[in-house]
Amino acid sequence: MGRAVPSSRVLRPASALAGGLALVLAGCGPSSYQYNWNILVDSVIRPDGQILSGIWLTLSISIVSQIIGIVLGVFGALGKMSRIAPIRWIANVYIWFFRGTPLLVQITFIFFGLGVTRIYQWPPINLLGVSIPGSIQAGIFALGLNEGAYMSEIVRAGILSIDPGQLEAAKSLGMTYGKAMRRIILPQAARVIVPPLGNEFNNMLKTTSLLVIISVPELYVTFSRKNASGPTVFHPFELFLAAAVWYLVLTTIWGVIQAYIERRLAKGVAGTPATGGVSLRERLFGGRRPEGAPQGSGGR
Amino acid sequence: MVKVGDDLLAAIGGLPAATSPLVVEAEGIHKWFGRQHALKGVSLTVRRQEVVVVIGPSGSGKTTFIRCVNHLEKIEEGRIKVNGHLIGYQEVDGRLKEDREKNIALQRREIGMVFQRFNLFPHKTALENVTEAPIQVRGIREDEAKALGMAILARVGLAHRADAYPVQLSGGQQQRVAIARALAMKPALMLFDEPTSALDPEMIGEVLEVMKELAREGMTMIVVSHEMGFAREVADRMVMMDDGRILEEGTPEHFFENPQQERTQAFLSKIL
Ligand SMILES: Nc1ncnc2c1ncn2[C@@H]1O[C@H](COP(=O)(O)OP(=O)(O)OP(=O)(O)O)[C@@H](O)[C@H]1O
Ligand SMILES: [Mg+2]
């Protein structure tokens, strides 16, 4: 009798867990869901035009947004370090706002918020004969602005990692601040900026899926539409697995490119055999974070 | 192709035309770092082709002073003229107002500076370090700048290392490239801040040799250095700084034979 109490205390939660698990398994068991593996295989091996255009859109939106983010990041970083107080304030408010609010809110605010108030209604734009719908423009705008705030911090850290003696040497040769930045500081800071920049782009490729909220037909939306109607309707298991595969393809290819760029940069800048940079294995599967690049030229 | 001259100044095209016999006129310079009063009324005049060696204990303001001469530091009081031009400031109704960045950059073209820790551009080769400013600042054509750069590198004995990156050079070689880089702007004045104090002893000589040659050829120089052999050989005048002031000024003979101030004597006895 005395013994039964502790055993039932252990058994009761355990049996509850087992029962719950059985219920879940029953719920998604083969009896209620018909797998159609062809959907997965076709989506990956023989992607149709819809999927291809989704991939293309995800990729192009990512690239353009990232470029905007880099440009804004350089200005944000320089603004944050400016000697002129109002410029510092503007940069700080920008970074504070876009890092302090959810991207989803930013996207919907920029597209719906600006649109409905007629501040900007996002009319389609014709670029080289291609009409770009407003939702894509708004999406790129929101992603770029958001990314710029994060890139500002990354670029700033990169600039701060460079020995101040470099700026002084450039100035002593008669360079203006702008020229010294462009020719001397930023090229060196690039070495420090590239690894985190690569991670940002990896994130960007996946974050574009948030544009579902304004119906941009990128990769995720493509699969979610296939799940909602048409011949593959309600096959979320196969469809979203296929979407995951495509995202993996994109991020993996980028990982390879990134590892290559980092090796090149470590070599070119130092003028010595590659010692810095991150191996492809580390790039893809994580591991040690690259340390800041060696500084300045003083000493040996 | 630019003909390689027989000497350093020929390599950069000779001395700039004299516009005034006085190259540096510093008058009553005061400098504060917050509450720290680093320069307490420093006045110094340097004539064309003169070599002035500045000595003094650590923290006496030597570095701060020569950084003021090319306006890497602002000053709170006094004025500095180089070649007759007020450096870093404009006089408006008798008061000094900091000049526009562009004008300051223009003035710095005429003033070469060599740093204790070289500060070479690590992402550029030796030759690119030397040609960067002539191309980017003076707007010289690239091939001309390269010829000029090779000529100057040859004069500091490093033509064979033109394509090396700074990390591939020894400390002495890096400092010689840094001197070449400053010379490539054909400055009227060269400032040296302890150019050999970060070097291993066996490399000091090669850098001092280059500086001596430059001095003999008539470059106007202010050199912060405790290399007394160098001072004895090429200094026209020596300046002893202490606690933000110039304590004593005179010829090397004066300094080495009968320095007047007790502190100068004590300091010299420590470094000689
Ligand atoms: N950026 C700075 N901020 C605050 N104080 C400074 C700064 N630079 C120099 N100082 C102070 O100003 C004084 C003069 O320094 P300075 O570097 O000119 O001396 P120095 O004669 O060159 O010394 P050393 O022989 O050690 O190079 C020192 O007390 C130093 O602490
Ligand atoms: Mg010093």
Side-chain angles (χ1 to χ4, degrees):
Chain A
M1 217 179 93
R3 278 180 199 162
V5 175
S7 69
S8 69
R9 256 193 213 149
V10 177
L11 275 174
R12 243 180 241 152
S15 55
L17 198 72
L21 212 64
L23 268 170
V24 170
L25 279 173
C28 62
S31 57
S32 67
Y33 186 73
Q34 286 296 318
Y35 287 100
N36 182 350
W37 295 104
N38 284 337
I39 295 176
L40 175 61
V41 173
D42 282 349
S43 301
V44 173
I45 311 282
R46 286 181 290 272
D48 59 16
Q50 225 184 326
I51 296 174
L52 288 177
S53 97
I55 294 168
W56 166 243
L57 204 52
T58 287
L59 198 59
S60 45
I61 289 175
S62 298
I63 292 172
V64 176
S65 303
Q66 191 65 49
I67 290 171
I68 293 173
I70 294 170
V71 173
L72 286 176
V74 170
F75 282 107
L78 294 178
K80 223 175 137 92
M81 295 188 290
S82 171
R83 289 202 305 181
I84 303 158
I87 292 182
R88 270 202 316 274
W89 297 334
I90 293 170
N92 278 324
V93 167
Y94 161 62
I95 294 166
W96 171 71
F97 180 82
F98 281 94
R99 293 198 343 155
T101 55
L103 179 54
L104 205 56
V105 174
Q106 293 162 21
I107 294 168
T108 46
F109 176 79
I110 283 170
F111 185 58
F112 298 124
L114 297 189
V116 77
T117 52
R118 297 172 185 246
I119 293 172
Y120 189 70
Q121 289 186 288
W122 300 106
I125 290 181
N126 237 309
L127 205 71
L128 305 169
V130 186
S131 173
I132 300 168
S135 61
I136 294 182
Q137 297 169 43
I140 289 174
F141 189 70
L143 288 171
L145 274 174
N146 181 271
E147 182 58 23
Y150 287 91
M151 283 305 299
S152 295
E153 295 296 337
I154 291 170
V155 173
R156 195 172 81 102
I159 292 173
L160 289 179
S161 75
I162 304 303
D163 177 0
Q166 290 289 308
L167 182 60
E168 296 192 336
K171 280 182 172 176
S172 78
L173 289 166
M175 289 192 204
T176 55
Y177 179 79
K179 187 152 267 175
M181 270 297 152
R182 278 199 305 281
R183 300 283 313 174
I184 306 300
I185 309 298
L186 288 175
Q188 293 181 59
R191 216 178 357 163
V192 184
I193 292 169
V194 160
L197 166 63
N199 297 340
E200 286 297 302
F201 187 64
N202 175 297
N203 267 329
M204 180 65 85
L205 286 167
K206 298 171 291 186
T207 307
T208 47
S209 57
L210 285 182
L211 297 184
V212 62
I213 204 73
I214 55 173
S215 305
V216 172
E218 43 68 61
L219 188 50
Y220 173 73
V221 168
T222 304
F223 280 99
S224 125
R225 282 183 185 167
K226 280 175 174 292
N227 184 48
S229 63
T232 57
V233 70
F234 196 60
H235 274 283
F237 184 86
E238 300 86 339
L239 286 169
F240 291 119
L241 200 55
V245 168
W246 277 115
Y247 279 110
L248 263 177
V249 167
L250 292 180
T251 52
T252 304
I253 291 173
W254 172 244
V256 173
I257 296 172
Q258 194 190 347
Y260 172 78
I261 294 174
E262 280 173 30
R263 270 203 308 278
R264 279 288 305 266
L265 245 111
K267 196 152 112 193
V269 175
T272 47
T275 46
V278 180
S279 76
L280 182 55
R281 187 178 50 78
E282 282 166 330
R283 169 64 50 228
L284 293 180
F285 306 120
R288 142 187 100 83
R289 296 276 310 207
E291 291 152 41
Q295 287 188 13
S297 60
R300 302 223 312 140
Chain B
M1 275 287 283
V2 169
K3 250 198 242 150
V4 177
D6 292 336
D7 51 34
L8 269 172
L9 289 179
I12 66 168
L15 274 177
T19 49
S20 148
L22 297 181
V23 178
V24 180
E25 302 160 79
E27 228 185 275
I29 310 304
H30 284 264
K31 168 75 194 172
W32 275 269
F33 290 106
R35 285 212 184 132
Q36 168 95 22
H37 199 174
L39 296 178
K40 305 172 178 172
V42 174
S43 299
L44 182 74
T45 308
V46 182
R47 312 184 132 269
R48 191 159 300 281
Q49 306 205 341
E50 210 177 10
V51 176
V52 174
V53 169
V54 181
I55 60 170
S58 182
S60 57
K62 308 178 297 292
T63 297
T64 305
F65 174 68
I66 67 165
R67 285 167 59 85
C68 289
V69 174
N70 68 355
H71 199 65
L72 282 180
E73 300 288 356
K74 292 180 196 177
I75 57 177
E76 274 73 42
E77 241 181 82
R79 54 200 61 199
I80 300 174
K81 285 184 180 174
V82 172
N83 271 348
H85 300 288
L86 200 56
I87 293 296
Y89 296 89
Q90 275 190 342
E91 201 156 354
V92 185
D93 306 326
R95 305 186 94 232
L96 293 188
K97 186 174 151 282
E98 193 170 19
D99 210 339
R100 287 169 42 214
E101 193 209 353
K102 222 174 172 178
N103 291 338
I104 297 170
L106 280 173
Q107 294 181 320
R108 288 196 184 116
R109 294 177 175 194
E110 317 301 328
I111 307 170
M113 186 158 203
V114 175
F115 300 85
Q116 191 170 1
R117 305 202 57 235
F118 330 136
N119 295 348
L120 286 181
F121 305 136
H123 59 307
K124 296 187 180 291
T125 64
L127 182 60
E128 287 165 353
N129 264 276
V130 175
T131 58
E132 176 71 10
I135 295 170
Q136 293 296 324
V137 178
R138 288 227 191 265
I140 291 175
R141 282 215 329 267
E142 206 172 311
D143 52 344
E144 266 177 65
K146 271 192 181 156
L148 169 75
M150 284 308 292
I152 304 174
L153 281 179
R155 292 316 306 164
V156 299
L158 286 172
H160 64 295
R161 303 294 277 142
D163 294 326
Y165 284 89
V167 284
Q168 298 170 315
L169 298 171
S170 74
Q173 290 174 329
Q174 288 190 51
Q175 193 61 301
R176 284 187 282 153
V177 172
I179 294 173
R181 176 176 71 174
L183 286 176
M185 289 298 284
K186 307 185 181 183
L189 166 71
M190 285 284 285
L191 307 171
F192 293 84
D193 186 13
E194 305 205 38
T196 57
S197 65
L199 296 177
D200 293 338
E202 73 270 20
M203 294 169 184
I204 291 176
E206 65 191 55
V207 172
L208 290 180
E209 264 325 301
V210 169
M211 292 170 63
K212 283 178 197 168
E213 193 181 340
L214 201 54
R216 281 194 291 266
E217 289 164 13
M219 177 60 81
T220 311
M221 299 161 59
I222 302 179
V223 183
V224 176
S225 177
H226 294 145
E227 292 295 333
M228 290 301 108
F230 171 82
R232 204 187 288 268
E233 204 172 320
V234 300
D236 295 298
R237 201 146 40 96
M238 287 177 67
V239 167
M240 163 82 185
M241 286 190 72
D242 189 35
D243 191 26
R245 293 188 181 85
I246 291 183
L247 189 66
E248 192 163 358
E249 212 179 319
T251 60
E253 293 74 46
H254 165 89
F255 266 81
F256 295 123
E257 277 142 39
N258 62 344
Q260 297 300 299
Q261 301 288 331
E262 240 172 73
R263 301 197 62 134
T264 313
Q265 292 166 9
F267 181 72
L268 281 170
S269 71
K270 257 188 262 166
I271 60 168
L272 278 174

